[in-house]
Each structure stands twice: as C-alpha cells, then as structure tokens.
Amino acid sequence: MKEIAILGSGPSAAFAYQACLKEGYRPHEIFVATAKLTEPPAGAFWFHWVPNHIRAVKVPIVLKGVGTEEGYLSKQWRRHLSGVPSSFPETEQRMSGYPVSRYVWRQMWEGADILPGFPFTDQAVRDLAQDFEKVIQTFPSKAAIQAYRDYTVLYPTVVYEVAHEWPEWEKFLHSFSAEILYSPQGVYCLYNGLAHDDWVRATYSLGKVMVEYPWYTPLDTLPTEGTVLNRDIVPWAGDLDPMPPAENVLMVGRYATWQRKQLSHETFGIVSGWLNAATTTE
C-alpha cells in the first residue's frame, strides 16, 4: 500500500505538502491530485506565515473598511446573520505577511508532480483511500455539500492584472494612496459596507487588484476587463461535521472543514500533528 496522498492544489494543499516534506517524505513519495491546477491568486491573497526555507519578502498588510459591518455582511452572505463574527475592520488594521506571488507559489510546490483531472467525488476519494494509508483532502466532501447547502454561497471575484483598469480604482486608491506610494509591494484590502456600491471587497497586491462581488451578482453583469473566478465561501454555521469519505482521510482547510476562519498556513501544523500522531501509534 502506498503511504500518503494530497487531494487539491490550492493554498491548504500547498501547506499540507510542505508539512509532509518536513516530516520526512520525499517529493516522489507524495501523491498529489487535483481537479484543476491552481494558480495564484488561489483563494489566499497573502500568507500570514511560510516555512523558513521559502524565499519570500514580508510586506505590510493593511485592512480598512468603508460603510458599516452590517452593510458588508448583508452583501457577503445569503441572509442576514445577526451576531456573526466577521473580518470587517471597524478601525484600520495593520500586520505583515507574504504576497502569494508566482515565485512563492512555485517554491511551495517545488518537486511536486501534480496530477490534474481527479474527480472530486466521495467515491473517487474512497477508492483512492483504499490504496493509500493516509489521504489529505482540501475540498469539501459531496455528502457535506449536500447536507450544508444552505450555508454555501457562491460569489464571483474579478482579477484585474493591471489595477488601474478597474473602474473603481480611483476610489480604492483614495483610501490607500499614501501606503501604496511608500510601500508599493504591500497588500491593501478594502472592505465595502456601502449599499450603493456593487462590490464587497477589493485587495491590491503585486500590481493587480482582486475585486469580490456580492453573492447575488448575476455573472453576466460582471465587468469584462478582468478575469472572473467563482469561489465558494462558508458563512458562520457553528461546528459542522466535515464528513470525510473514509476513515483514513484528513479534512483540512477552510473549505473542507467548513470553518471559514481557518487560515491556509494553519494546515501545516494540523498535518504535521496528524502525521506525528500516526507515527506514534504505529
């Protein structure tokens, strides 16, 4: 029986891969499969942490909000959820992190041979789990999607490779003009709780801007200047069973675990702990 497999190729899968390397697996010993190869931006516009050997530059991360938190939540979620904790910054927040550049992304996956075209079905995962001792899954199980469909929101993101091509760029720039001038390599994120604006959040990084639109936005009304991505996000729903397809499958990442506050880099510690625990009990 083969030892370990990673399913998915997004940020959580990349940190899972790095955790496997740390625990002594060599690249050719780690089977990686995904439905479609992921390219940055890949769900995370910046990393809060990267392994020490990853060559990455730490930059300022600045978060600001306009409008109200309630306005932001009403545009982001399918229904009004009173008391839901959100990341809307009532006051300016500053931290540091690592932009997810193609250079950083290639390092995170260095040595990996990622197989595309894997069917994201529970049966396909169960079949794979019979051939591997350990399987790490970074996408939600079909059983969980069916059970929790009321908690799932599909929302579009438009990526503008050249930031000033976004029609709202000047409005965004007004909030961050000084920061972008003095730290152009930083990451700047504006949360929009204004009801009259048709976007909900925008993030500037590495010369491009990623604009997220409300869940109710018809896809045929999105701007045509950028590249449209569709993303699933999971609103607050308490503790939900991720319903892994098999006993030897570890569900990790915000999508697979239905924990929208889980950060990509946290997968590294979760996977390392799981592998160490498995070694101890063997």
Side-chain angles (χ1 to χ4, degrees):
M1 178 177 284
K2 301 174 184 178
E3 193 155 352
I4 195 159
I6 298 173
L7 299 179
S9 62
S12 293
F15 278 104
Y17 176 72
Q18 287 294 319
C20 291
L21 295 177
K22 173 183 173 291
E23 298 305 322
Y25 292 96
R26 291 173 291 183
H28 71 271
E29 296 174 322
I30 308 168
F31 176 80
V32 185
T34 188
K36 183 179 179 181
L37 294 175
T38 305
E39 294 290 340
F45 300 140
W46 72 86
F47 291 148
H48 292 261
W49 173 87
V50 293
N52 292 335
H53 67 276
I54 300 295
R55 297 178 296 280
V57 177
K58 183 175 284 190
V59 303
I61 312 290
V62 184
L63 313 180
K64 296 183 181 182
V66 292
T68 65
E69 181 179 42
E70 182 175 310
Y72 169 76
L73 286 171
S74 68
K75 291 200 295 185
Q76 188 180 38
W77 305 126
R78 181 179 299 172
R79 56 185 176 223
H80 178 69
L81 300 170
S82 60
V84 173
S86 82
S87 52
F88 183 87
E90 295 283 2
T91 59
E92 179 182 299
Q93 296 181 14
R94 290 178 175 266
M95 62 195 79
S96 58
Y98 305 89
V100 188
S101 66
R102 292 186 183 278
Y103 177 64
V104 170
W105 192 248
R106 287 196 298 268
Q107 292 180 77
M108 292 290 290
W109 283 112
E110 187 173 359
D113 184 12
I114 305 176
L115 176 67
F118 183 84
F120 278 6
T121 66
D122 291 352
Q123 187 58 54
V125 175
R126 280 191 287 270
D127 292 343
L128 187 80
Q130 293 181 355
D131 296 329
F132 288 85
E133 293 182 10
K134 307 176 187 71
V135 177
I136 300 166
Q137 180 170 331
T138 62
F139 53 88
S141 67
K142 295 299 184 183
I145 291 174
Q146 179 65 24
Y148 310 137
R149 60 184 180 276
D150 289 343
Y151 300 113
T152 303
V153 177
L154 181 67
Y155 73 104
T157 300
V158 178
V159 181
Y160 292 87
E161 295 293 334
V162 180
H164 67 255
E165 292 182 353
W166 178 35
E168 299 285 327
W169 172 246
E170 291 300 324
K171 183 185 295 186
F172 180 90
L173 191 61
H174 179 74
S175 297
F176 294 105
S177 56
E179 289 91 341
I180 293 176
L181 176 64
Y182 291 106
S183 298
Q185 299 304 312
V187 178
Y188 305 100
C189 184
L190 186 63
Y191 291 67
N192 190 338
L194 299 173
H196 61 268
D197 282 341
D198 64 355
W199 53 278
V200 66
R201 185 167 52 186
T203 304
Y204 172 83
S205 177
L206 302 173
K208 66 180 68 174
V209 64
M210 287 68 71
V211 185
E212 301 165 51
Y213 288 83
W215 63 269
Y216 49 77
T217 306
L219 296 182
D220 59 2
T221 67
L222 291 171
T224 58
E225 298 90 345
T227 302
V228 178
L229 307 174
N230 287 332
R231 292 195 175 140
D232 288 306
I233 53 177
V234 183
W236 177 258
D239 293 325
L240 298 175
D241 177 6
M243 301 183 183
E247 291 184 358
N248 58 335
V249 174
L250 174 69
M251 309 293 280
V252 293
R254 62 182 302 208
Y255 296 119
T257 62
W258 296 80
Q259 297 293 330
R260 67 184 180 88
K261 289 293 187 180
Q262 188 171 124
L263 300 175
S264 300
H265 73 275
E266 295 174 347
T267 297
F268 184 92
I270 294 170
V271 172
S272 291
W274 185 63
L275 294 175
N276 282 320
T279 302
T280 301
T281 58
E282 289 175 354

